[in-house]
Amino acid sequence: MNHVYYSNRSASYASLKQYEKALEDAELCIALAPEWPKAFSRKGAALHGLGRLDEAKEVYQEGLKREPENALLKEGLKSVESSSRGSADPGKSMFGDPNMMAKIATDPRTRALLQQPDFVAMMSEIQKDPNAISKYLQDPRMMQALSVMMGVDFSAQPGGATEEPPPPAEDKMEEEAPPAPEPVMTEEEKKEKTDREMAQEQKAKGNELYKQRKFEEAILHYNKALELDKKDISYLTNRSAVYFEMGDYDKCIDDSEKAIEVGRELRADYKLIARAMTRKGNALVKKGNLAEAVTVYEKSLMEHRNADTLKRLQEVEKQMKDAQEKEYINPTIAAEEKEKGNACFKEQKYPDAVAHYTEAIKRLGPTGEDLHKVYSNRAACYTKLTAFYEALKDANKCLELEPTFVKGYIRKGLVQFFMKEYNKAMETYQEGLKIEPGNQELQEGVRKCMFEINRAARGELSPEELKQRQEHALADPEIQGILTDPVMRQVLNDFQEDPKAAQLHAKDPGVMAKLQKLVNAGLVQMQ
């Protein structure tokens, strides 16, 4: 599922104060999108709602490592720190309670005090400044109010306002209700209780032996536990874990299925049933039954959303996809599809050519021979269709696969030229000329780029063309980085106001390279 779904549902649960469910969804969101700041904001909010302030603080800080200026995370951290301070100062927390006056109004001991204006003024002052309470501690009304807010009867404390002695012990004993008699258990119930306790002891021994990897002995203890108590599926799930470690996946699957069946009959905790399903899925993966494992994992997630199970499901789905792609590889069919693509390209049937080249790429696989040439051909088709972003992506993939393939630089430079990224196109052509200095197409590409760049310097661009070129350049992250660089801002200022400093800057190749990019982009003009 999409991580945004879990994020939104986590927020919904938090608004309903169902913080445990909100936390589960937030953790699933982080598992799906570990670099998404909002996922950490959701988890932090859930932990805050559960009162786990230290953990919430750590989560918010972890999110801020990914996006230090995220307002939502900063506000959440501030709120947690504020709550921490409030819990450290009980007085401040108590008088800061918005329900304080409501408590006083609903208690018969203090209800009438709210009719007294000076008492209301006194409580309002303490709400604003809890330290002001020291001025009113001698006021018996304050002691009554504190008794209600804190849930403590000060009259019963040493030094309290009432000096009346406590009632005699015998009177107190008469008022107390006699303790409820312990329920009488039948012999059958007693035996069941004893068997259950003995089964738990056998389980504990089995668990210890499992940790020591003494699997055969562990199974004997789980068997005894099952004989004593057939109403606890944990003995089956634990035994299935032993079989899994032993590599006996069939028995692991059998025990998991029994645990699911018995768990349904006994209405066991859905988390235990989900765990049994996940273990069955793990065993199916080991046996190579990936499709069946996917189905079991999906059923497990319907019982209980668990991040580990979700991760396993995604891994198996990827394995299946990789296996399908591997089975699909066929170099002979790939060659046929490439030739069909070439024929369509010559006939100017560019969409059909794209389809054939795409099929050839799938048939070659990620490491197929001459795969870079097919990407180059498809880039040419996309260029003809003016789908420049797809063309640029294919040209980059071509050069990634074969960095010395000169035609790849020609494809990429042409796409950048059509995208009016003349500076980048010229750099691409120059990279290609390093590999093949005499290539005429690359040389012609450089010449065309220089012509377009110099049009701005010569003042040959119309105001509309200049505006478009500047807007296009300002959207380039590299240009943005140059313009926001404090050093380059000073350089630009020196070229306008300080000729001597400008001469020094002109001797720095790095500075001049960046300045030339601004010139090429039409953002700066050199006299």
Side-chain angles (χ1 to χ4, degrees):
M1 286 188 182
N2 193 312
H3 61 279
V4 176
Y5 165 80
Y6 290 113
S7 171
N8 292 347
R9 195 169 71 173
S10 175
S12 300
Y13 280 137
S15 67
L16 295 171
K17 297 187 179 181
Q18 297 180 20
Y19 298 116
E20 288 288 354
K21 291 183 177 179
L23 180 59
E24 287 182 13
D25 273 1
E27 288 176 339
L28 284 167
C29 184
I30 290 175
L32 287 168
E35 297 301 320
W36 194 38
K38 187 174 280 189
F40 292 87
S41 174
R42 298 300 191 209
K43 184 175 180 181
L47 290 167
H48 191 173
L50 291 168
R52 292 154 63 176
L53 302 183
D54 290 340
E55 294 177 58
K57 184 176 180 181
E58 289 177 7
V59 169
Y60 281 126
Q61 290 172 339
E62 189 66 28
L64 285 168
K65 289 179 183 178
R66 288 156 173 79
E67 190 175 318
E69 298 305 318
N70 186 284
L72 200 60
L73 290 167
K74 291 168 83 172
E75 185 62 29
L77 180 60
K78 182 179 177 182
S79 177
V80 169
E81 290 174 341
S82 176
S83 297
S84 298
R85 288 193 295 272
S87 61
D89 185 351
K92 184 174 181 181
S93 176
M94 177 172 63
F95 291 110
D97 185 355
N99 297 319
M100 182 186 79
M101 286 300 192
K103 290 180 181 178
I104 294 173
T106 54
D107 193 287
R109 293 172 293 173
T110 52
R111 186 183 302 132
L113 296 178
L114 293 178
Q115 304 300 318
Q116 303 174 21
D118 61 329
F119 175 78
V120 174
M122 175 174 67
M123 297 307 295
S124 298
E125 180 185 352
I126 294 171
Q127 271 191 308
K128 295 176 183 177
D129 180 14
N131 294 323
I133 191 174
S134 57
K135 297 190 295 184
Y136 303 108
L137 287 176
Q138 300 304 317
D139 190 325
R141 296 175 301 174
M142 175 55 67
M143 300 306 294
Q144 282 182 298
L146 286 174
S147 174
V148 170
M149 287 187 289
M150 297 174 66
V152 178
D153 187 0
F154 289 123
S155 64
Q157 305 298 320
T162 305
E163 299 297 332
E164 184 178 340
E170 56 271 23
D171 292 341
K172 183 176 181 182
M173 291 298 294
E174 289 175 1
E175 292 174 2
E176 289 181 354
E182 291 187 9
V184 178
M185 298 175 68
T186 64
E187 290 300 319
E188 184 179 349
E189 289 173 334
K190 289 179 181 179
K191 183 178 184 306
E192 186 177 333
K193 181 173 183 274
T194 302
D195 287 348
R196 188 163 54 248
E197 290 171 352
M198 291 172 64
Q200 288 294 323
E201 291 175 6
Q202 293 294 327
K203 175 185 171 182
K205 291 177 181 178
N207 292 348
E208 191 60 36
L209 290 165
Y210 173 80
K211 293 175 185 177
Q212 298 173 22
R213 302 190 68 79
K214 297 179 179 178
F215 299 134
E216 295 289 352
E217 296 175 50
I219 286 173
L220 293 175
H221 287 286
Y222 290 136
N223 291 344
K224 290 178 182 177
L226 282 164
E227 291 172 5
L228 291 164
D229 181 10
K230 293 180 173 57
K231 295 183 179 181
D232 189 337
I233 67 171
S234 67
Y235 311 136
L236 283 166
T237 57
N238 285 15
R239 190 171 70 179
S240 73
V242 176
Y243 285 133
F244 184 87
E245 291 297 327
M246 293 173 69
D248 195 338
Y249 303 121
D250 288 328
K251 287 186 177 179
C252 173
I253 291 170
D254 287 343
D255 269 2
S256 298
E257 289 176 343
K258 288 176 187 174
I260 295 166
E261 182 183 350
V262 174
R264 296 274 191 224
E265 293 173 358
L266 299 175
R267 297 185 179 180
D269 187 343
Y270 57 86
K271 292 182 180 179
L272 290 175
I273 294 174
R275 189 183 303 162
M277 288 180 173
T278 298
R279 184 157 292 127
K280 178 183 176 181
N282 296 344
L284 288 167
V285 170
K286 289 292 186 180
K287 293 188 69 175
N289 299 338
L290 302 186
E292 189 177 351
V294 165
T295 302
V296 174
Y297 283 141
E298 288 173 341
K299 288 181 178 179
S300 174
L301 289 168
M302 290 176 67
E303 293 289 335
H304 173 59
R305 284 279 164 186
N306 178 276
D308 180 62
T309 304
L310 182 62
K311 183 180 178 182
R312 290 175 185 273
L313 172 61
Q314 292 170 338
E315 288 173 351
V316 174
E317 287 177 332
K318 185 178 183 303
Q319 286 180 40
M320 290 178 65
K321 183 181 177 183
D322 291 345
Q324 288 169 357
E325 290 177 353
K326 190 174 181 180
E327 290 175 3
Y328 201 69
I329 292 172
N330 188 318
T332 303
I333 297 177
E336 293 172 1
E337 291 294 331
K338 180 185 174 185
E339 288 305 317
K340 290 177 183 178
N342 293 345
C344 289
F345 185 86
K346 290 175 183 177
E347 295 172 9
Q348 299 183 8
K349 297 178 180 178
Y350 303 122
D352 293 339
V354 167
H356 287 299
Y357 288 138
T358 300
E359 183 64 17
I361 288 168
K362 291 178 181 178
R363 291 292 184 174
L364 283 171
T367 58
E369 186 179 357
D370 290 339
L371 180 62
H372 62 285
K373 293 181 180 179
V374 186
Y375 274 109
S376 173
N377 291 359
R378 194 170 69 171
C381 289
Y382 280 134
T383 305
K384 291 290 186 180
L385 293 167
T386 68
F388 297 129
Y389 288 102
E390 288 81 359
L392 184 61
K393 185 178 177 182
D394 272 4
N396 283 327
K397 184 65 177 179
C398 169
L399 293 173
E400 177 190 326
L401 293 166
E402 183 48 74
T404 62
F405 187 57
V406 171
K407 191 173 283 188
Y409 292 96
I410 296 171
R411 301 287 193 221
K412 182 177 178 180
L414 184 61
V415 174
Q416 291 170 323
F417 183 88
F418 284 136
M419 293 172 76
K420 300 184 187 299
E421 296 179 350
Y422 304 119
N423 188 55
K424 290 185 176 181
M426 188 165 66
E427 289 178 358
T428 299
Y429 287 134
Q430 288 170 341
E431 284 294 315
L433 285 168
K434 291 177 183 178
I435 299 167
E436 191 176 315
N439 187 286
Q440 292 185 357
E441 286 187 79
L442 292 170
Q443 291 172 349
E444 180 64 14
V446 170
R447 189 191 66 75
K448 287 183 178 179
C449 290
M450 287 301 299
F451 177 80
E452 290 294 334
I453 289 168
N454 290 332
R455 282 184 65 205
R458 294 193 299 267
E460 296 177 0
L461 295 178
S462 68
E464 185 62 29
E465 285 179 316
L466 182 60
K467 182 182 177 183
Q468 288 180 357
R469 185 176 293 190
Q470 289 174 341
E471 288 177 351
H472 190 79
L474 289 171
D476 186 340
E478 185 180 8
I479 297 295
Q480 292 173 5
I482 294 172
L483 291 173
T484 56
D485 183 350
V487 174
M488 286 304 299
R489 291 171 69 178
Q490 183 61 47
V491 168
L492 293 171
N493 187 62
D494 289 343
F495 267 92
Q496 288 182 322
E497 301 176 0
D498 190 344
K500 289 184 179 180
Q503 289 177 359
L504 292 174
H505 293 315
K507 295 177 182 179
D508 186 332
V511 168
M512 291 307 296
K514 291 182 180 179
L515 190 60
Q516 188 61 49
K517 287 182 180 180
L518 297 180
V519 173
N520 295 347
L523 297 172
V524 173
Q525 289 186 346
M526 299 290 289
Q527 300 296 332

